[in-house]
Amino acid sequence: LGPSGGRIARSMGGVPADEALTALAHQAADAVGVPHPKAVYAIAANEPNAFATGVWGNTAVAVTTGLMDMLTEIELQAVLAHEMGHLRNKDVGRNVHVAIAAAGFGGLYAAGRELLRVARVDHQRAVAAAAADAAQGKDSKDTSGKNATSSPGAMMALAAAICVAGLATEAVA
């Protein structure tokens, strides 16, 4: 999340909140026992939503105008206390790590799939070449003396293992 937890709120059109919302957020932080967020944002959106963002002390909370319009001050303070609970429990950092891991292992799965595709294409070419050689009465052994139509070998096994590792880890994440 970089140097500021507010980056996400700003990217969603968030602007620094007024004094009243900021005071509510600080009261909620005090009630939950966490440091005040570095920034409090209001996001002009009809959807009722609020979120906490940031890690390592660079935290922010954001509330949409849709949520502010539909809740009383006490209800809004309760929502902010809930968001502060995410900061206290370090849910934001944990969720970021899970997201990064899932994306990374998704990439691992994609890499395995590509290796499988390449291995299959190479194997199909070798089979076609061996068939053409056989039709012309030539020997289809490769330079190592192995038959060119033998199993695709270690690359396919490695590719399959990478795919399985990526899928299994994504399922856990």
Side-chain angles (χ1 to χ4, degrees):
L1 294 174
S4 168
R7 182 179 295 166
I8 292 174
R10 287 191 306 273
S11 75
M12 298 175 70
V15 295
D18 62 21
E19 290 182 26
L21 182 59
T22 301
L24 282 177
H26 290 180
Q27 291 168 9
D30 291 341
V32 173
V34 297
H36 294 176
K38 296 279 186 202
V40 180
Y41 291 90
I43 299 173
N46 292 330
E47 301 80 17
N49 198 8
F51 62 88
T53 183
V55 292
W56 305 295
N58 294 314
T59 57
V61 292
V63 180
T64 63
T65 54
L67 186 67
M68 288 187 275
D69 290 343
M70 70 185 314
L71 299 181
T72 67
E73 185 175 304
I74 292 171
E75 291 169 330
L76 188 55
Q77 193 168 19
V79 168
L80 288 166
H82 169 86
E83 297 307 324
M84 299 303 166
H86 288 302
L87 297 176
R88 181 186 65 206
N89 296 324
K90 299 184 178 20
D91 295 345
V92 175
R94 186 178 315 110
N95 291 342
V96 167
H97 289 128
V98 169
I100 290 168
F105 288 116
L108 187 62
Y109 171 75
R113 290 276 313 221
E114 181 62 15
L115 280 174
L116 272 173
R117 187 192 67 75
V118 168
R120 281 190 194 121
V121 168
D122 287 350
H123 180 64
Q124 289 167 348
R125 285 183 185 148
V127 169
D133 287 349
Q136 296 176 2
K138 294 181 183 176
D139 189 5
S140 63
K141 301 231 185 267
D142 66 14
T143 56
S144 67
K146 294 180 181 173
N147 188 312
T149 60
S150 62
S151 98
M155 187 191 299
M156 285 191 97
L158 174 64
I162 290 172
C163 282
V164 169
L167 282 174
T169 307
E170 279 205 20
V172 170

